Amino acid sequence: MRSSRWWIAAVAVLMSTGIAQAQDRGAVTGTVTDAATQQPLAQVQVSVAGTTLGGLTDQQGRFLIANVPAGTREIRTTLIGYAQASETVQVQAGGTATVNFALRVSALALEGIVVTATGETQRVRERGNAVSQITVSDMNLAPINTMSQVLQGRSAGVVVQQSAGTSGTGARIRIRGSASASLGNQPLVIVDGVRVNESPESFSIGVGGQSTSRLEDINPDEIESIEVLKGPAAAALYGTAAATGVIQITTRRGRAGPARWNAYSEVGLLHERNEWFGNYLQLGETPAGAEIACFTFRQAADQCTPTELLYWNPLMDRAEGHGVSNPELGPASPFRDGNRTKVGLNVSGGVDRFTYFFSTERDQEAGIFRNNNLDRVSLRANVRGQLRDDLDLTVTSGWISSDIQLPWNDNTQGPVGNAITGEPEDDPEFRGYGGAPPSQLERVDTRQGLGRLVGSTNASYRPTHWLNIVGTAGLDVLNRRDTETVPPEAIFSGSLPEGVRTSNRIEISNYTATLGATATAPINTDFHSTTSAGFQYHREIFRGTFATGWQLLAGTESLAGTNARPSVGEQNTDVINIGVYGQQQIAWRDRVYVTGALRGDDNSAFGADFGLIWYPSLSASWVMSEEPWFPQLDAVESFRLRGAVGRSGLRPGFRQALTFFTPVAATVEARDYPGFTVGGVGDPNLAPEISTEIEAGFDLGLFDGRLGFEFTGYNKRSEDALIARRLAPSLGLTTTRFENIGVVRNHGVELLLNANVIQRQNARWNATISFGTNNNELVEMEGDDIIFGLASGQRHSVGYPLGGYWSTPYTFEDPDGDGLLRIQDVIMADEEEYAGTPFPTRNASFNTDITLWNIVRIGGMLEYQGGHTLWSGTNEWQCVFLLCRDLNDASASLENQARAIATYWNFSWWGYLEDASFTKLRELSLTFMAPDHVLDRLRGIGGLSLTLAGRNLATWTNYTGIDPEVNFAGQNNFTTADFQSQPPVRHWTARINVNF
């Protein structure tokens, strides 16, 4: 009874407090426009200084903030690309104050809003680390089809390496270099507060090297904002997953107002544009008159006299109306002109307390190989409701369904490999291919079917104006079906004529739950405090069943139709991470900010004897130009100093810390008995890899906001790096065990220059230049070098970059000066030497857009990657088969003859390790927008545009291979080479957007 009285009393106090608070509060409303064009600005963050209250403007630039404490209040506006504005208003209890803003363009985004690890928003000026914000509002006016293309060339320090031109595959992404020698180096990806699967290699059936990527499932047309946190200094609060950087994505939201519909349709062409190597064979006669293959080294040794140089290139015998060498036989080339179509529809709107965004899209693409196709459907529903003045609820959900067909390639069973190791002449049956011609390979059906749901629920509760409690719960669940059918009597190689069927079923689930609270309060008139604390839970589950059978019955595409060598396997993993965090920020006069944070994690992949891991961080930001003593220079609008230090980690792989056993069948006296072997020898002290980063820099705004410059220097040291230590065979255990015995360092600089060159009502010209460097080094490692890659040509070696190329150098001379080299004229060195890193050490881009009379918009991107090396393995492999020009054509240069002799006779690919630096015209677009007077005649149409765009339009490079931007191993962590792969293709697209 007594306890009941206490509850009644408590509820009464809370109710009376709530009523009193409501009576002491009012509202603030108004509009935000562009100062130059007087057009309304949507998605402007409007907030009440010193509180957690705020909101976004709608499409008409209007905003409304309810539940504002009565009194004198400072109202602030922030929007990327515009200078901050603030006004002081008097809020009356029960009344509504009105304030309007006209924002001017600013090239320095100090007032941009970013989402933090606590779920709160924060102004860029408050952060001590650099954060790249990628503007996505005009992405539909650029030739962009995938998430990796969104990231490419738009942020200094973020390097996107396309692996191939195969539709449905991905790209390798590095942020500030490679932090780990053994674990993945792809960034952590967060979508609407939920950690999602970002696996760069997500296909369980080998097609030669290329693979699907889960990052590419994300639909660029559904994105509202992207923030890139580049290292531990920025991402410490994300804990044991963030050492390689964080990509934080927010999907589109609705805005209050009438329903606004957007429909779009896109068509495009994919064009194979490369000049492929053909097959050569120099025929000749010996001094005795016998016919012989008269290679250049034989000519140099006077072993033969050349008579006829044979040449045939099946890959260049173009199809699809481009002309063929033998019309009766049809084209020999496996390539076609690909095509793509995309249609989409979305709608957004709502009222002040309820907004929505719904979208649907279908994307289809036929790649340049006839058995390379993609069909993807995406659906999204995002709603937000203000259930009370102090309680918001946001629910986001996205569904992806796709079917991807991949061709065999990147190996000798692919069309490129068969072509460059074929015959130097056309023939009716194989058309010059060395093994299976494309007509056989195209009968192989390798597919991935996918269903994926990504959803989250976010609740924000403000019991008082100084406290905000945020909770997020979400999931990412995907089901994959990877299948392959090789029909019987389709490919006549090895046992493939029997036919084979593979069917793998995989389910991957990620669950995220976060609960945190942030309190904001003034300490006095100069100091302001923001305190955050919270808890996070993450669980990742993998379930896979794998089955293969041989001797497939003709006409069937099922495992039930196989009759020999059945193989069944299963894989299950389950990893849980629990983290707690706290953060404290002290702000002085809204221009000096010091922030300290600490996160503690426990992970099921840690060793049994390893406890919690702690990740501290400290950052400072000083907007020095707002100090009264700062020199008042007409050219300088703003100047900020910033710096940060922090730690984050990468967890060990599943079961790397455990000793476990693998079941096997043991045969004793002709009977099978169950048994086991040692599957892995774990280290009970196994710890996560720990990366500590220091970064510092400054931001400078010049010429009334027309020019913005950012500079950042960083130094990241990753300790306790996991290395597979070799174990003595005498132990009778596994050959290796992962231990924390390595140190990796990355350091470099990043520069960003934004320029609003022209800002007039009828002409606007914006340009951005970014530049970044990265120097990577394996500083320490116990044990011998780790050797891997194509022909064991790469290694992790102390004192050199991770994954560097190594080979035996050589010298050569032409003693008789006849332009031909003998075998003995190429002199090999005694030892292998370091030949370069496959990862760019420099990256730069130039992005620009010009808008004229609000009718025509021209956009473009130039991208540069440099300082790295690529193994030209396609050309080298052709020389191994004695079919390259360098060993058959006497006009080949001495350098090319020497490298061909070195690889054929001495297994050295030193001459084929080439500088892969390049500059590409990555994007070019032209958009025509219907002027207002035309829209006035089209009743109900609010916007109409046509965009013509191209991608990968030109390449400038000294690389002599097919393309410097290719990797036969797809998105593999380190393995890299140009080896029989299809490079990125040229895209042409036309898109119509209609708003109504």
Side-chain angles (χ1 to χ4, degrees), residues 545-564:
T545 304
F546 311 90
T548 299
W550 292 78
Q551 291 186 1
L552 180 65
L553 181 66
T556 64
E557 295 185 356
S558 170
L559 288 168
T562 61
N563 300 293

Side-chain angles (χ1 to χ4, degrees), residues 118 141 167 172 188 245 325 361 364 413 487 643 932 960:
T118 66
L141 304 182
S167 297
R172 185 163 58 189
L188 173 68
S325 63
E361 179 182 287
Q364 295 175 291
Q413 284 291 350
D932 291 341
T960 64

Side-chain angles (χ1 to χ4, degrees), residues 662-914:
T662 301
V664 296
T667 303
V668 180
E669 295 181 352
R671 291 189 61 184
D672 289 338
Y673 294 91
F676 64 87
T677 61
V678 178
V681 182
D683 179 358
N685 295 306
L686 199 66
E689 296 187 355
I690 306 298
S691 293
T692 302
E693 183 181 57
I694 299 174
E695 73 166 59
F698 65 87
D699 306 325
L700 178 64
L702 300 170
F703 307 114
D704 199 25
R706 292 187 177 274
L707 195 66
F709 180 76
E710 300 178 17
F711 170 84
T712 303
Y714 66 90
N715 188 346
K716 179 169 62 175
R717 184 179 175 90
S718 302
E719 299 180 316
D720 291 337
L722 289 167
I723 303 295
R725 181 200 289 273
R726 290 191 174 276
L727 300 178
S730 59
L731 294 175
L733 302 173
T734 56
T735 58
T736 61
R737 182 176 83 163
F738 279 96
E739 297 181 8
N740 300 104
I741 53 176
V743 177
V744 179
R745 182 186 179 216
N746 289 273
H747 63 96
V749 298
E750 297 164 356
L751 295 88
L752 179 68
L753 179 66
N754 286 317
N756 299 317
V757 184
I758 299 175
Q759 292 296 320
R760 298 179 181 175
Q761 189 167 2
N762 292 327
R764 295 188 297 276
W765 178 17
N766 302 312
T768 300
I769 298 174
S770 66
F771 176 78
T773 68
N774 177 263
N775 295 284
N776 175 266
E777 180 186 359
L778 178 59
V779 179
E780 297 177 15
M781 180 180 68
E782 296 183 27
D784 299 330
D785 290 355
I786 299 175
I787 300 175
F788 60 93
L790 182 65
S792 299
Q794 292 177 254
R795 65 179 65 177
H796 299 325
S797 182
V798 173
Y800 296 93
L802 291 172
Y805 291 117
W806 290 72
S807 187
T808 307
Y810 56 82
T811 58
F812 66 89
E813 58 181 5
D814 180 15
D816 52 13
D818 63 354
L820 296 171
L821 293 181
R822 299 167 299 174
I823 296 171
Q824 60 267 32
D825 293 337
V826 179
I827 299 94
M828 306 303 300
D830 295 330
E831 296 180 350
E832 291 186 337
E833 294 182 9
Y834 171 72
T837 172
F839 298 96
T841 60
R842 304 182 299 272
N843 72 298
S845 66
F846 171 73
N847 289 270
T848 187
D849 67 87
I850 301 171
T851 304
L852 303 174
W853 302 287
N854 290 322
I855 296 176
V856 177
R857 179 181 181 274
I858 303 169
M861 176 197 292
L862 281 171
E863 185 187 14
Y864 165 80
Q865 294 183 15
H868 60 301
T869 300
L870 183 62
W871 184 354
S872 182
T874 302
N875 194 1
E876 184 257 351
W877 189 244
Q878 195 178 37
C879 291
V880 169
F881 282 79
L882 298 171
L883 291 167
C884 63
R885 177 175 178 264
D886 301 341
L887 292 177
N888 287 277
D889 189 347
S891 65
S893 68
L894 292 175
E895 290 79 5
N896 287 357
Q897 291 181 51
R899 69 177 186 173
I901 290 173
T903 193
Y904 182 75
W905 290 98
N906 297 288
F907 307 105
S908 168
W909 38 90
W910 182 270
Y912 294 95
L913 295 170
E914 300 187 33

Side-chain angles (χ1 to χ4, degrees), residues 262-281:
N262 173 240
Y264 52 91
S265 179
E266 183 177 303
V267 296
L269 294 176
L270 285 67
H271 179 58
E272 207 318 283
R273 56 182 175 77
N274 298 287
E275 294 295 322
W276 291 90
F277 302 121
N279 294 326
Y280 290 80
L281 179 59

Side-chain angles (χ1 to χ4, degrees), residues 490-611:
I491 299 179
F492 300 94
S493 174
S495 58
L496 289 175
E498 299 178 0
V500 60
R501 170 67 176 176
T502 300
S503 180
N504 302 333
R505 301 296 184 96
I506 297 168
E507 178 183 339
I508 304 174
S509 303
N510 281 267
Y511 302 97
T512 303
T514 304
L515 180 63
T518 297
T520 62
I523 299 175
N524 54 38
T525 56
D526 291 334
F527 289 92
H528 190 274
S529 169
T530 302
T531 306
S532 299
F535 163 87
Q536 185 177 78
Y537 169 88
H538 176 255
R539 183 180 186 184
E540 181 178 359
I541 304 173
F542 181 99
R543 301 281 186 263
T545 304
F546 311 90
T548 299
W550 292 78
Q551 291 186 1
L552 180 65
L553 181 66
T556 64
E557 295 185 356
S558 170
L559 288 168
T562 61
N563 300 293
R565 302 192 299 281
S567 174
V568 178
E570 187 174 4
Q571 180 180 349
N572 299 288
T573 68
D574 192 347
V575 179
I576 296 175
N577 190 89
I578 297 176
V580 294
Y581 64 85
Q583 178 174 277
Q584 176 64 55
Q585 181 189 87
I586 300 296
W588 180 72
R589 296 184 177 179
D590 198 32
R591 55 179 177 262
V592 177
Y593 311 87
V594 178
T595 304
L598 181 66
R599 170 160 176 154
D601 274 5
D602 193 9
N603 192 288
S604 60
F606 295 167
D609 296 340
F610 184 84

Side-chain angles (χ1 to χ4, degrees), residues 6-326:
W6 278 109
W7 277 109
I8 294 172
V11 170
V13 170
L14 288 174
M15 291 180 62
S16 62
T17 302
I19 293 172
Q21 287 179 346
Q23 292 174 344
D24 292 338
R25 298 186 181 190
V28 178
T29 188
T31 60
V32 183
T33 59
D34 185 298
T37 65
Q38 286 79 54
Q39 295 296 312
L41 294 175
Q43 302 182 41
V44 180
Q45 179 78 37
V46 186
S47 60
V48 181
T51 74
T52 61
L53 303 174
L56 295 171
T57 59
D58 61 17
Q59 297 294 334
Q60 287 73 43
R62 299 174 302 188
F63 68 90
L64 173 65
I65 306 175
N67 212 28
V68 180
T72 302
R73 298 296 171 190
E74 181 185 359
I75 310 301
R76 296 173 179 165
T77 64
T78 55
L79 180 65
I80 297 176
Y82 287 83
Q84 176 183 294
S86 63
E87 294 287 345
T88 300
V89 297
Q90 189 69 33
V91 180
Q92 302 293 333
T96 301
T98 301
V99 58
N100 299 319
F101 296 91
L103 305 185
R104 61 180 180 82
V105 173
S106 176
L108 190 63
L110 288 185
E111 311 309 330
I113 294 295
V114 296
V115 179
T116 69
T118 66
E120 302 284 344
T121 58
Q122 186 180 57
R123 291 176 297 167
V124 171
R125 65 158 50 212
E126 300 177 40
R127 300 184 68 98
N129 50 268
V131 177
S132 289
Q133 296 178 290
I134 299 177
T135 303
V136 296
S137 58
D138 292 332
M139 287 296 180
N140 58 2
L141 304 182
I144 290 174
N145 302 313
T146 65
M147 185 62 198
S148 61
Q149 292 174 359
V150 172
L151 299 172
Q152 191 160 38
R154 290 180 169 84
S155 177
V158 179
V159 176
V160 178
Q161 291 181 288
Q162 299 291 330
S163 55
T166 307
S167 297
T169 58
R172 185 163 58 189
I173 298 173
R174 289 289 192 274
I175 299 179
R176 291 183 176 175
S178 301
S180 176
S182 302
L183 303 177
N185 284 283
Q186 67 277 8
L188 173 68
V189 178
I190 307 291
V191 176
D192 294 330
V194 175
R195 181 176 172 180
V196 301
N197 185 295
E198 78 291 343
S199 174
E201 297 179 288
S202 185
F203 199 43
S204 60
I205 299 175
V207 293
Q210 302 309 314
S211 176
T212 56
S213 168
R214 296 283 67 91
L215 180 68
E216 309 298 15
D217 292 338
I218 300 172
N219 183 359
D221 284 291
E222 296 177 352
I223 297 174
E224 183 167 291
S225 65
I226 300 174
E227 292 144 13
V228 181
L229 310 181
K230 298 179 182 179
L237 279 186
Y238 291 88
T240 310
T244 51
V246 179
I247 297 174
Q248 193 158 256
I249 298 171
T250 302
T251 59
R252 294 175 64 180
R253 304 291 196 264
R255 300 289 178 261
R260 293 179 58 85
W261 294 83
N262 173 240
Y264 52 91
S265 179
E266 183 177 303
V267 296
L269 294 176
L270 285 67
H271 179 58
E272 207 318 283
R273 56 182 175 77
N274 298 287
E275 294 295 322
W276 291 90
F277 302 121
N279 294 326
Y280 290 80
L281 179 59
Q282 178 66 67
L283 298 180
E285 292 183 350
T286 66
E291 188 175 65
I292 191 176
C294 193
F295 303 118
T296 54
F297 55 82
R298 287 179 176 173
Q299 297 176 44
D302 296 325
Q303 296 174 355
C304 62
T305 301
T307 57
E308 181 183 7
L309 180 63
L310 301 180
Y311 172 79
W312 168 238
N313 191 337
L315 296 175
M316 299 300 293
D317 188 36
R318 297 299 194 194
E320 310 286 344
H322 291 284
V324 297
S325 63
N326 193 334

Side-chain angles (χ1 to χ4, degrees), residues 936-971:
D936 291 340
R937 299 178 182 178
L938 301 175
R939 296 182 179 180
I941 303 298
L944 178 63
S945 66
L946 169 65
T947 298
L948 306 175
R951 187 173 186 84
N952 298 328
L953 300 184
T955 302
W956 295 272
T957 182
N958 292 324
Y959 180 70
T960 64
I962 302 299
D963 191 294
E965 192 179 25
V966 70
N967 182 20
F968 89 105
Q971 296 83 250

